[in-house]
């Protein structure tokens, strides 16, 4: 059984198609990412899957449960962390989790253990009695994830999980998300416009643009679809074009300058054999560099543009800073 299965999913607002007949599926125990710029339809897709809004047409199921016909059943097995600040900053970390445990109807005899486990798991146990407004942005985000774990969800939805965070806090959140998958087998569907985040976190990615899925696959498959990695080298003592062509596709060759560019499938593994071949032909390599394909290159290929950092990220960061200052 697929954890999530969408078929021709469409959501319209008047004449505007926010989500345009997309189909995708998520395997159980997988981190699946919807990658795209602001306005691509990512958040709308998550909200439809979470049963917060109804689709205009098409179908969507979570662990075989129809999101339209059995919305309550879907919510019982799901956790959700939205883009916006979702904690009460005038409560302590412990009080926030206690409130959520009651909202999720956690049995009284299990509340304390679940709260303790979530705080410990998200590295917040030592700050559980401090007001949330005194937390850093990263700690606030980890508390929001802890809230979503109160009902022990099979399916966790994260809308821009590291939005507004500095690099250190972002990395910490990523590690906790990966632990949820690795240690508990939690299936995670996340949205992001951060290509590095998608590359680091996701097992599978669907790239969205203007409501459509324009490409999907693992990060490695998507980057390979661009054409491969580019190796640039400067070599003397002869024209090495013929030797290089045995290892990949020659992009450019300027023997008079000793400059060459070569496209290969896996650059870091190809370089040693290329150098060995050139050495056997007594060609001296002065320098070599590798440019690996990125998900930005993939988006450019399939969407015809690069993902630009929009105002949402900046707004989120300012909001989290403002919340902290109120403390």
């Amino acid at each position: 059984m697929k954890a999530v299965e969408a078929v021709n999913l469409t959501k319209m607002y008047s004449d505007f198609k926010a989500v345009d007949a997309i189909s995708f599926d998520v395997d159980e125990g997988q981190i699946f990412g919807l990658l795209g710029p602001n306005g691509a339809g990512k958040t709308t897709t998550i909200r439809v899957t979470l049963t917060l809004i109804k689709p205009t047409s098409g179908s969507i199921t979570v662990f075989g449960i129809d999101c339209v016909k059995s919305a309550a059943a879907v919510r019982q097995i799901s956790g959700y962390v939205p883009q916006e600040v979702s904690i009460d900053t005038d409560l302590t970390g412990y009080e926030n989790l206690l409130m959520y445990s009651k909202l999720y109807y956690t049995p009284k005899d299990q509340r304390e253990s679940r709260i303790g486990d979530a705080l410990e798991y998200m590295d917040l146990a030592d700050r559980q009695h401090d007001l949330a407004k005194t937390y850093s942005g990263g700690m606030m985000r980890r508390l929001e994830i802890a809230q979503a774990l109160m009902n022990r969800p099979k399916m966790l939805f994260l809308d821009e999980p590291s939005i507004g965070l500095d690099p250190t806090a972002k990395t910490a959140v990523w590690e906790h998300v990966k632990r949820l998958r690795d240690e508990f087998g939690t299936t995670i569907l996340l949205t992001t416009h951060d290509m590095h985040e998608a590359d680091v976190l996701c097992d599978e990615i669907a790239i969205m643009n203007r409501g459509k899925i324009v490409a999907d696959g693992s990060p490695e498959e998507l980057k390979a679809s661009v054409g491969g990695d580019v190796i640039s080298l400067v070599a003397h003592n002869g024209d090495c074009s013929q030797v290089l062509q045995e290892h990949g596709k020659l992009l450019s060759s300027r023997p008079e300058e000793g400059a060459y560019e070569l496209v290969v499938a896996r650059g870091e593994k190809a370089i040693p054999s290329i150098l060995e071949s050139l050495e056997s032909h007594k060609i001296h390599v002065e320098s070599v560099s590798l440019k690996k394909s990125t998900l930005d290159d993939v988006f450019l290929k399939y969407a015809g543009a690069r993902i630009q950092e929009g105002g949402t990220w900046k707004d989120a960061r300012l909001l989290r800073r403002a919340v902290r200052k109120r403390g």
Side-chain angles (χ1 to χ4, degrees), residues 142-157:
R142 297 200 320 263
L143 181 60
E144 288 169 328
I145 295 174
Q147 288 179 159
L149 299 179
M150 283 295 95
N151 65 330
R152 304 281 172 88
K154 290 179 67 177
M155 188 79 213
L156 180 61
F157 296 89

Side-chain angles (χ1 to χ4, degrees), residues 208-265:
M208 292 192 71
N209 190 45
R210 298 180 180 179
K212 292 181 176 291
I213 291 178
V214 296
D216 57 38
S218 69
E220 293 74 20
E221 290 169 343
L222 288 169
K223 286 183 287 186
S225 73
V226 176
D229 302 333
V230 177
I231 295 175
S232 301
L233 57 86
V234 176
H236 299 291
N237 301 342
D239 186 350
C240 59
S241 301
Q242 187 172 348
V243 177
L244 292 175
Q245 285 175 346
E246 297 173 1
H247 296 271
K249 178 182 178 182
L250 199 62
L251 274 184
S252 65
S253 173
R254 301 193 303 278
E256 68 283 358
E257 301 175 20
Y260 305 86
E261 285 188 326
L262 182 71
V263 177
V264 297

Side-chain angles (χ1 to χ4, degrees), residues 97 111-121 125 128 150:
L97 296 194
R111 286 176 189 168
E112 289 300 318
S113 62
R114 288 199 187 185
I115 291 171
D117 289 346
L119 288 166
E120 191 70 37
Y121 193 78
Q128 63 179 300
M150 283 295 95

